[in-house]
Amino acid sequence: MRLRSIVVLAAALGATGVIAEPAWAQDPIHKMGRGVVNILTGWIELPKQIHLGSQEENPIVGLGRGLFRGASLTVIRAGVGIFEALTFPLPYPKAYASPYESMELNDYAWE
């Protein structure tokens, strides 16, 4: 009975986020890996955003927006990727999970 109570309490705390895992950016290897991956795959943003733009109400305007947004995000991902790959030994502050979080982007282009 006691073990069951501990398991239920741990599950409840984990579900509410009280017990949180360290952010990926706190680990230098994952920080470098994410940076290299975003340098190599940041170009995926271009066709992804063009496709998402074509799904808008006016596909012609959406294609233009998608092209602009995709080109912008490609440059941003490459820039942040280079930054992360070069500064991987330096940890981010503890409360800071990802540079993409402040831009409301996923960590990788395909997400």
Side-chain angles (χ1 to χ4, degrees):
M1 182 69 177
R2 180 172 162 84
L3 179 61
R4 182 177 175 183
S5 299
I6 292 172
V7 169
V8 170
L9 178 64
L13 290 174
T16 60
V18 173
I19 300 174
E21 293 183 32
W24 287 105
Q26 300 305 321
D27 183 0
I29 299 301
H30 286 104
K31 183 180 175 186
M32 182 181 66
R34 183 175 58 197
V36 170
V37 166
N38 279 317
I39 291 168
L40 297 176
T41 63
W43 62 269
I44 293 173
E45 285 289 355
L46 189 60
K48 175 184 169 185
Q49 294 302 323
I50 290 172
H51 172 72
L52 292 174
S54 70
Q55 304 299 314
E56 291 182 9
E57 188 175 313
N58 185 342
I60 303 300
V61 173
L63 286 172
R65 285 185 189 152
L67 179 64
F68 178 75
R69 183 169 167 85
S72 301
L73 289 176
T74 297
V75 171
I76 288 171
R77 280 204 185 272
V80 174
I82 291 168
F83 173 78
E84 284 192 317
L86 292 176
T87 63
F88 78 92
L90 308 172
Y92 286 124
K94 288 189 186 266
Y96 192 73
S98 166
Y100 302 100
E101 191 175 280
S102 62
M103 295 181 275
E104 297 180 5
L105 294 173
N106 295 320
D107 283 350
Y108 301 101
W110 58 82
E111 295 181 319

